[in-house]
Amino acid sequence: MVSTADLDDHTAALAAVQAEIVACQRCPRLVAYREEVARTKRRAFRDQEYWGRPVPSFGDPNARLVIIGLAPAAHGGNRTGRPFTGDASGNWLYRALYRAGFANQPTSLHRDDGLQLFDAYITAVCHCVPPNNRPTPDELAACSGYLARELALLPRVRVLLCLGAVAFETTLRVMRARGYDWPVAVANDDERPERRLRFQHGGEYRWRTSPPGLPPAPVLLASYHPSQRNTQTGLLTEAMFDTVFARARALIAEAEGRAKSNYEAKR
């Protein structure tokens, strides 16, 4: 169990990490691009002031679900200053979060629109918008330390949900660097481990053991990214997306049930 004082300390430390993210200047290519986009703007948003900086994470510091995306959109998060806010991908994500009970409203238009997340936290493997939506391996490595620190400061997390293959692969590397090694891919129906660890929509991956001194690893889920390329072609449907969030809900309930049983057994 995590005490209230510990949660308060973690919340303050998470806020400090977000301040570091916003001030980050590590990647010259990304700095130049995000500022260029903010300066030139899209015609539809020419009267708006763009954020034009690294986009901090957003959500509940006591979250049991952590959603890990790729990077801010040029005229979405890079404009609004909040992940998945003001673009088509965000429309899909926040509708799904609302339907699953993780958000108080199904829309996310700007930073001050009243959106709140319950038991969910959204971060990314790259906090700056990259050209062509493709951060380089060096840029991902430069940003991965922030993700590692966030995961260490989210003591209640039970499920990691990666949106897209890049987020999935980067998260695996971050977890391995933290000492968790590689997870095992599991089939949902009978939990027979697969032979190859690979990204697939609806995939579920579990760490069978945890390193000494570290908390039990969360379950890792994978989903196609709700990009327009995936949603407009039908590769990802809203029903498919909802199924992933329903599975996250079920896994959280399972984990909490085990924790309660263990606590009562020790009393």
Side-chain angles (χ1 to χ4, degrees), residues 215-243:
V219 177
L220 179 65
L221 296 180
S223 170
Y224 291 135
H225 192 283
S227 64
Q228 286 186 295
R229 180 177 63 183
N230 290 338
T231 59
Q232 290 182 348
T233 60
L235 182 65
L236 177 65
T237 66
E238 294 206 75
M240 292 167 61
F241 215 26
D242 286 345
T243 297

Side-chain angles (χ1 to χ4, degrees), residues 50-73:
Y50 274 53
W51 176 258
R53 289 172 279 170
V55 176
S57 305
F58 169 64
D60 184 350
N62 299 330
R64 292 175 293 180
L65 169 64
V66 174
I67 301 156
I68 305 169
L70 172 57

Side-chain angles (χ1 to χ4, degrees), residues 138-155:
D138 286 345
E139 289 163 351
L140 289 170
C143 216
S144 63
Y146 294 127
L147 177 58
R149 290 167 63 191
E150 286 179 308
L151 294 179
L153 292 169
L154 291 163

Side-chain angles (χ1 to χ4, degrees), residues 58 67 71-73 75-77 79-80 82-99 103 105-110 113 115 117 122 163 225-228 231 236 238 241 245:
F58 169 64
I67 301 156
H75 305 284
R79 172 175 60 89
T80 63
R82 193 168 68 190
F84 288 99
T85 296
D87 61 26
S89 295
N91 294 340
W92 271 66
L93 176 59
Y94 287 111
R95 283 199 302 266
L97 287 169
Y98 177 74
R99 289 192 295 265
Q105 61 189 45
T107 58
S108 179
L109 303 177
H110 54 81
D113 61 7
L115 176 67
L117 297 186
I122 300 175
L163 302 181
H225 192 283
S227 64
Q228 286 186 295
T231 59
L236 177 65
E238 294 206 75
F241 215 26
F245 283 98

Side-chain angles (χ1 to χ4, degrees), residues 3-245:
S3 70
T4 301
D6 286 341
L7 287 174
D8 288 343
D9 289 344
H10 289 147
T11 299
L14 272 175
V17 172
Q18 302 317 306
E20 288 186 41
I21 289 172
V22 172
C24 187
Q25 300 278 331
R26 292 181 181 179
C27 304
R29 185 182 80 118
L30 299 185
V31 172
Y33 184 67
R34 77 193 188 209
E35 293 178 354
E36 177 189 0
V37 171
R39 183 175 59 256
T40 58
K41 305 181 181 181
R42 176 175 284 174
R43 180 176 297 180
F45 307 122
R46 63 182 179 274
D47 296 330
Q48 297 184 20
E49 181 178 352
Y50 274 53
W51 176 258
R53 289 172 279 170
V55 176
S57 305
F58 169 64
D60 184 350
N62 299 330
R64 292 175 293 180
L65 169 64
V66 174
I67 301 156
I68 305 169
L70 172 57
H75 305 284
N78 190 58
R79 172 175 60 89
T80 63
R82 193 168 68 190
F84 288 99
T85 296
D87 61 26
S89 295
N91 294 340
W92 271 66
L93 176 59
Y94 287 111
R95 283 199 302 266
L97 287 169
Y98 177 74
R99 289 192 295 265
F102 289 108
N104 69 325
Q105 61 189 45
T107 58
S108 179
L109 303 177
H110 54 81
R111 289 196 309 280
D112 301 316
D113 61 7
L115 176 67
Q116 297 178 52
L117 297 186
F118 308 122
D119 213 9
Y121 184 89
I122 300 175
T123 185
V125 294
C126 182
H127 287 272
C128 292
V129 54
N132 300 315
N133 207 32
R134 292 182 180 179
T136 67
D138 286 345
E139 289 163 351
L140 289 170
C143 216
S144 63
Y146 294 127
L147 177 58
R149 290 167 63 191
E150 286 179 308
L151 294 179
L153 292 169
L154 291 163
R156 299 187 66 208
V157 61
R158 298 292 182 264
V159 178
L160 302 177
L161 171 55
C162 293
L163 302 181
V166 175
F168 174 77
E169 292 162 2
T170 304
T171 299
L172 287 177
R173 289 194 292 271
V174 167
M175 290 295 287
R176 192 177 193 201
R178 294 182 65 210
Y180 286 96
D181 205 2
W182 299 116
V184 175
V186 174
N188 289 343
D189 54 354
D190 57 7
E191 295 197 353
R192 289 180 301 175
E194 298 177 354
R195 293 184 177 182
R196 294 179 56 216
L197 187 65
R198 56 188 173 86
F199 171 84
Q200 60 179 355
H201 177 80
E204 183 174 318
Y205 312 83
R206 295 176 185 250
W207 284 269
R208 298 302 190 187
T209 60
S210 296
L214 291 177
V219 177
L220 179 65
L221 296 180
S223 170
Y224 291 135
H225 192 283
S227 64
Q228 286 186 295
R229 180 177 63 183
N230 290 338
T231 59
Q232 290 182 348
T233 60
L235 182 65
L236 177 65
T237 66
E238 294 206 75
M240 292 167 61
F241 215 26
D242 286 345
T243 297
V244 173
F245 283 98

